[in-house]
Amino acid sequence: MSSQEEAPRRAPVASGQSAAPTTPRVPLAIVAREWGRIGCIGFGGPPTHIKLLRALCVERRTWLGAQEFEDAIAACNLLPGPASTQLAIFCAWRVRGRLGALVGGAAFIVPGLIVIVALAALFLATSPPLWVLGAGAGAGAAVPAVAAHAGAGLTGASWERRRDTARWLLYLLAGAASAATLGPWLVLVLLGCGLIELTLQVTARRGAGTELHGMVTAAPVLAAGAIGSGVLLSVAWVAF
């Protein structure tokens, strides 16, 4: 690896120093190359994209910390729109600022857009060849394995930050069960679990300010409403 590519690595944070994120200032050529590579080989949807982005930004280049990357995934999953695309743009912004976000986002999106347009033209023009159907079926069968592998790679940082092992396991089970059954309303269950954890952490702190009292009182109600709404909406979605 060249010295130019080694330079942007994040400096280790010494004990007692602030862990505020700093922009590594990665060259735009590297951003375009790496994000374009992920856009070309990331067939399999968001799980594949997240795995490749983590391997690049956290494991290989150490441009981002594991905790920051995990927090970015959580924030992007709560936003409307494609979470993996938002995550790719965020990572590019972190390593090169606004210009990096534009270059990285375009390099990430354009290859997939070209493939989708080409496949759409192929499917609409005539019957697709058998090798295209076989490739699609094989890729579809591989997606669950890729998703499981990507999820397993993200559990380490979450496990280290857990406040209570039993609650962590319950959240994991709730997320897995809702992902398998609730479909698009999974986000409501995840939001409810987050509100429950927020309430427990705030109330556990001694001397919590009175300005937090209203939030602590309302959070359990909002959490129950979010989880219940997710379940009811999923039932209505299947029934109608």
Side-chain angles (χ1 to χ4, degrees):
M1 186 179 297
S2 65
S3 59
Q4 182 186 21
E5 296 185 9
E6 286 286 350
R9 288 182 179 271
R10 296 167 65 241
V13 179
S15 178
Q17 292 183 351
S18 173
T22 57
T23 304
R25 299 295 296 177
V26 176
L28 286 175
I30 296 179
V31 173
R33 184 189 70 196
E34 295 295 339
W35 269 252
R37 178 181 63 84
I38 294 175
C40 290
I41 68 174
F43 189 80
T48 304
H49 299 155
I50 292 173
K51 178 63 178 177
L52 292 173
L53 285 169
R54 189 180 194 280
L56 170 67
C57 297
V58 178
E59 298 172 2
R60 286 172 45 211
R61 301 298 186 93
T62 64
W63 290 330
L64 279 71
Q67 177 176 335
E68 182 182 6
F69 189 81
E70 184 187 66
D71 291 341
I73 294 174
C76 291
N77 280 327
L78 292 176
L79 295 175
S84 60
T85 302
Q86 295 163 351
L87 181 65
I89 295 173
F90 168 81
C91 292
W93 169 77
R94 276 288 290 113
V95 304
R96 196 56 171 83
R98 295 179 181 177
L99 188 56
L102 293 174
V103 172
F108 178 83
I109 294 171
V110 169
L113 177 62
I114 294 174
V115 171
I116 291 298
V117 172
L119 288 176
L122 179 63
F123 274 78
L124 292 175
T126 181
S127 298
L130 289 178
W131 68 268
V132 174
L133 296 176
V143 167
V146 173
H149 189 263
L154 298 173
T155 55
S158 178
W159 175 262
E160 293 175 357
R161 297 170 59 194
R162 72 192 188 283
R163 297 298 182 91
D164 182 271
T165 300
R167 287 207 309 271
W168 189 92
L169 292 175
L170 287 175
Y171 296 148
L172 177 64
L173 293 175
S178 56
T181 58
L182 299 187
W185 311 112
L186 164 66
V187 64
L188 294 177
V189 175
L190 298 181
L191 182 61
C193 292
L195 288 171
I196 292 172
E197 183 65 21
L198 176 64
T199 304
L200 293 173
Q201 290 192 24
V202 170
T203 55
R205 295 176 183 175
R206 295 182 178 179
T210 54
E211 67 275 5
L212 298 176
H213 178 72
M215 181 184 69
V216 172
T217 303
V221 178
L222 293 174
I227 295 174
S229 298
V231 174
L232 292 176
L233 287 170
S234 66
V235 173
W237 182 273
V238 174
F240 299 102

